[in-house]
Amino acid sequence: MITQLLSSEDYDPADRFDAWCELARSMPIQHRISSEHTADFRFTLRTVRLGPTAVAHTRVLGLHAVRTSRLIRQDDNGSYELVMCTNGGIGTEQMGVEYRAGLNQWALYDSSRPYSMRSLADVGSVHSAVALVLPKSSLGLPDAEVPPLLSRPLPGGTGMGAVIGDTLARVFREAHTMQPTHAHRFGGLLQSLAAALFAQELSDSDHRLPEEGHRQVLRMRIRSFTLSRLADPALTPGVIAAAHHISVGYLHRIFRPDGRTIAAWIREQRLERACRDLADPSQRTTPVHVIAARWGFRHPADFSRAFRRVHGMPPRDYREETLG
């Protein structure tokens, strides 16, 4: 886990805006940045890395960030970013739609689509916000299902949106005490909460969707349910179908457009997360069988065979080659 706390007070006044731009270039998602306050720019930035998930708390004096098509072509790691103001608001333009997200409202951004966001606060006031950056692969949300979530603010004062905010507050309070395993668990928890928020928002608009839309929403709910239970070795298509009050046959039909069975998708997700942990320097001393069990593999031999089929080598060799 990596934590940082940086402030404009660490720089000469003439260098502060340039310092912020340089810091922004180290963030998971790149933006073109401008401000009306470059001469007296003020900021604080606190970041915490939770494995592949990153969280940040920012305080800035007026900022406009644009994610351009050129930046996307140059560097796109496939991420979603949830941003919520703790003071002021956010003016957003995305997919040709403009909206304002105020207090207790999340704005969602897709790193693979152009957008702009502008901090909104009273003249002279510092704008503050919390942000959560998640790898798309951790949520199982197909691109075709994303647009309804990008064109309006998402609730942050109730339900899953509020739980995400509370969890971020706890991360910032306790980051200095976290062990690497705790950081990964918090990261996994935030991924599950975000998936649940997206599934709930799509569900709330369910009645306005055509039949194919209903199937897409159900598929999203199932993915969210499944991703939050990958560690359970007893997770099977039968368990998933029963939890959603559908037959196993209908479950397989829902996933047929993906070109793979749900069992294959579960195995893929488990292997992806195990692979990520094996490549994490902070988990270098964690035994391979512990990582395998963490992601639902009952038997180390089964995990080793599955891993070798995908990566062409045993998990121990992969770790040694990756970490050096």
Side-chain angles (χ1 to χ4, degrees), residues 126-154:
V126 173
H127 176 272
S128 62
V130 291
L132 168 63
V133 180
L134 306 141
K136 290 182 179 182
S137 60
S138 69
L139 302 182
L141 179 62
D143 282 348
E145 297 174 20
V146 176
L149 302 171
L150 302 177
S151 58
R152 57 188 170 85
L154 308 178

Side-chain angles (χ1 to χ4, degrees), residues 12 38 49-50 99-100 119 124 129 149 154 171 180 190 198 202 222 235 245 251 253 298 312:
D12 292 334
T38 56
R49 294 301 297 262
L50 306 171
Y99 68 84
R100 183 189 191 279
S119 59
L149 302 171
L154 308 178
V171 167
L190 286 165
F198 299 161
L202 290 171
I222 290 169
L235 184 69
H245 311 290
L251 175 65
R253 287 198 296 277
R298 291 180 189 270

